[in-house]
Amino acid sequence: MKAERYPLPRHSDERGTLTAVEGERDVPFPIRRIYYIYEVDAGAHRGYHAHKTLKQLLICVHGSCRLLLDNGLERQVVRLSDPAEGLYIGEPIWREMFDFSPGAVLLALVSAPYDPSDYIRDYGEFLEYIRREQEGVE
Ligand code: TYD
């Protein structure tokens, strides 16, 4: 599974903690856009898509949430709860986000402007896309 936890720097002193993330240094892509998800109801599920080319670092900067990750071969559920840890997703991975704690904020640092044509929103299509990609490299 090519989704990796990325430890991020913590600059802590008696005033609190600061975490900085630089594109092409702390993450292996230039950061071209950010977005954040918040005010999510406890029972809500989001996502249900994969990206063809977009690279992302997801950071739960407040509270916690869970992500189901599926690369077409294996599935795993990860919990994000540390503002000094990102989850890097650098290849097409189907993801669902859920179990947001009250007030949770999920920040995404991503490699490209918003482009609906980069989304795969149908799970069957995602599996087909992965299969075609694998055939392409073999
Ligand atoms: P959506 O893709 O449904 O969110 P999730 O990541 O939870 O699946 O996005 C919700 C709405 O926000 C949808 O109308 C598209 C819009 N949107 C933008 O306008 N720009 C963006 O960068 C993103 C990520 C979403």
Side-chain angles (χ1 to χ4, degrees):
M1 176 77 71
K2 265 274 186 286
E4 299 166 51
R5 288 184 186 270
Y6 265 47
L8 301 169
R10 296 173 66 98
H11 301 279
S12 295
D13 58 31
E14 64 285 354
R15 300 167 301 162
T17 303
L18 182 153
T19 291
V21 183
E22 285 190 24
E24 296 178 281
R25 197 187 73 171
D26 301 300
V27 291
F29 57 85
I31 297 166
R32 298 286 308 279
R33 172 170 54 114
I34 73 160
Y35 64 87
Y36 37 98
I37 296 173
Y38 54 103
E39 297 177 348
V40 182
D41 283 343
H45 286 237
R46 307 186 59 110
Y48 294 93
H49 63 251
H51 286 280
K52 295 173 189 166
T53 62
L54 192 73
K55 297 179 177 11
Q56 349 196 329
L57 187 78
L58 301 174
I59 307 164
C60 197
V61 291
H62 182 72
S64 65
C65 66
R66 280 181 221 279
L67 282 100
L68 179 143
L69 304 168
D70 180 333
N71 65 1
L73 297 170
E74 49 176 332
R75 292 189 144 208
Q76 73 183 64
V77 173
V78 301
R79 181 169 179 268
L80 297 182
S81 62
D82 181 354
E85 182 187 72
L87 181 76
Y88 172 61
I89 303 179
E91 64 175 33
I93 287 182
W94 184 264
R95 90 283 311 266
E96 298 167 18
M97 291 96 86
F98 56 99
D99 261 1
F100 285 74
S101 67
V105 181
L106 181 63
L107 171 67
L109 312 177
V110 306
S111 64
Y114 181 57
D115 175 9
S117 72
D118 191 61
Y119 280 75
I120 306 170
R121 291 195 175 275
D122 178 84
Y123 185 68
E125 239 173 70
F126 165 69
L127 294 179
E128 184 61 20
Y129 182 84
I130 295 290
R131 195 182 61 75
R132 277 202 311 270
E133 266 210 332
Q134 280 166 353
E135 280 174 1
V137 296
E138 275 164 13

